[in-house]
Amino acid sequence: MLLLAAALGMLISMTLFAFSRGGNKVNRYLAIYFFIVSLYVLVHYTIVFSGSVFWIAIAFINPSFLFLLPGPILYFYVRGTLTGRTKLDKRDLLHFLPAVIHLLLISPWL
């Protein structure tokens, strides 16, 4: 059931991202947020229910920097909804700094 929920969440988020091109562009942030949360559920499903050490190692390390992004993405969605501003400036890139640092630290294992 959890695997189906994660797959359905990824499908819905990709559909939302595809259909937000012409309309409200702030919905792209919401689609990215849902995709990362669904990926998080899928990774934890793999860790808990998979018996393979190889797949657990792949699922635990490789996408782990993405799990630091839902907070900033949700912030950009709420800010864009309230103010109508969808563009990111240089100051907004500071929100991605923890994920970039984490990516640099795990890059030897990638």
Side-chain angles (χ1 to χ4, degrees), residues 58-77:
I58 294 293
F60 192 66
I61 296 296
N62 289 344
S64 64
F65 71 96
L66 292 174
F67 304 146
L68 298 171
L69 294 178
I73 296 296
L74 195 58
Y75 167 72
F76 295 140
Y77 171 72

Side-chain angles (χ1 to χ4, degrees), residues 1-6 40-57 59-60:
M1 184 70 175
L2 193 61
L3 184 62
L4 180 64
Y40 184 78
V41 170
L42 184 66
V43 165
H44 282 281
Y45 177 84
T46 303
I47 290 170
V48 171
F49 295 110
S50 175
S52 172
V53 176
F54 174 75
W55 286 114
I56 291 173
F60 192 66

Side-chain angles (χ1 to χ4, degrees), residues 1-106:
M1 184 70 175
L2 193 61
L3 184 62
L4 180 64
L8 189 61
M10 287 183 169
L11 180 68
I12 290 172
S13 67
M14 286 187 281
T15 305
L16 179 63
F17 190 83
F19 286 109
S20 68
R21 292 179 195 258
N24 194 357
K25 295 195 186 253
V26 76
N27 286 338
R28 289 182 181 179
Y29 294 129
L30 188 63
I32 293 169
Y33 173 77
F34 284 147
F35 186 81
I36 292 173
V37 169
S38 297
L39 182 66
Y40 184 78
V41 170
L42 184 66
V43 165
H44 282 281
Y45 177 84
T46 303
I47 290 170
V48 171
F49 295 110
S50 175
S52 172
V53 176
F54 174 75
W55 286 114
I56 291 173
I58 294 293
F60 192 66
I61 296 296
N62 289 344
S64 64
F65 71 96
L66 292 174
F67 304 146
L68 298 171
L69 294 178
I73 296 296
L74 195 58
Y75 167 72
F76 295 140
Y77 171 72
V78 171
R79 185 187 68 186
T81 302
L82 295 177
T83 63
R85 201 175 98 196
T86 59
K87 299 287 183 187
L88 298 178
D89 54 1
K90 290 181 182 179
R91 191 169 159 236
D92 290 333
L93 296 178
L94 289 174
H95 294 286
F96 297 115
L97 193 60
V100 170
I101 291 171
H102 186 72
L103 180 64
L104 291 174
L105 291 175
I106 65 169

